[in-house]
Amino acid sequence: PLDRSVDALYGLEGVEATPELVRAQVKVHDGIKQPMGLVHGGVYASIAESITSIQFFMADLYDRRFLRLSELTNVKDIGFYDCSNADDVLPAAQTLPKLESLFFEVTLLSDESLELLAEFPRLRKVHFEQVVPDETIARLNKLLPDVNIETPFPASKQPKR
């Protein structure tokens, strides 16, 4: 929610959000201006990042338009946050000629998708910002020996409940 994020610090307010459109606004105040009296460029960047994230979160990844992902030939990094169908997007991402890094948070991958990662030709880093079973970490290290696998939250290091 916007009220519990960095967006609340500068006053981003959601106006409208549909799978096709996101509208938001920020009331200009002295707290977001730079010394010359203009709105700070970082505010614009934060707005763009936030509304893009909201739009992507609402997107239906089964939509055929996501098959066009392979046309984004300069993409080097892709992040999947709370993405229930990352398995469906990864095959299109695999065709990206410059893709080097993948980031996953609150996103589960099937065994087939883990194996597909080994077929990404330029992949150098895979980061999981979530608890990952130790067996999955071992499997990834075996499948991707030349890829930096970042798993800051291995299951074995989590507190026992």
Side-chain angles (χ1 to χ4, degrees):
L2 293 177
D3 62 337
R4 289 184 284 149
S5 67
V6 70
D7 301 313
L9 297 174
Y10 61 89
L12 183 69
E13 299 172 357
V15 174
E16 179 183 3
T18 70
E20 298 295 324
L21 173 74
V22 174
R23 289 183 201 263
Q25 67 184 15
V26 175
K27 293 181 180 159
V28 176
H29 54 87
D30 289 341
I32 63 171
K33 292 180 181 178
Q34 43 133 297
M36 298 297 295
L38 302 171
V39 174
H40 192 283
V43 173
Y44 290 113
S46 188
I47 293 168
E49 190 281 329
S50 293
I51 62 174
T52 301
S53 294
I54 291 167
Q55 180 69 40
F56 195 77
F57 177 76
M58 296 181 68
D60 175 6
L61 295 181
Y62 291 112
D63 186 313
R64 293 190 49 76
R65 290 175 291 177
F66 278 93
L67 297 177
R68 297 189 69 190
L69 181 67
S70 61
E71 295 174 17
L72 303 173
T73 58
N74 289 321
V75 172
K76 290 185 176 185
D77 307 282
I78 294 180
F80 294 87
Y81 177 80
D82 198 14
C83 185
S84 62
N85 43 4
D87 289 336
D88 298 315
V89 178
L90 279 176
Q94 180 190 11
T95 65
L96 297 173
K98 296 181 181 177
L99 187 64
E100 297 176 352
S101 173
L102 293 169
F103 173 94
F104 299 96
E105 184 172 357
V106 196
T107 299
L108 299 177
L109 295 177
S110 67
D111 289 340
E112 293 80 19
S113 286
L114 292 177
E115 290 181 18
L116 180 63
L117 294 178
E119 298 175 25
F120 280 63
R122 295 180 57 120
L123 193 61
R124 298 292 168 251
K125 179 173 85 170
V126 178
H127 180 93
F128 290 89
E129 191 69 19
Q130 61 194 34
V131 175
V132 179
D134 293 359
E135 304 78 35
T136 301
I137 296 169
R139 186 166 181 217
L140 284 166
N141 284 322
K142 185 176 180 182
L143 285 168
L144 307 165
D146 298 323
V147 175
N148 180 18
I149 307 296
E150 297 177 354
T151 54
F153 306 105
S156 62
K157 305 272 184 182
Q158 300 309 303
K160 303 291 183 218
R161 292 185 182 189

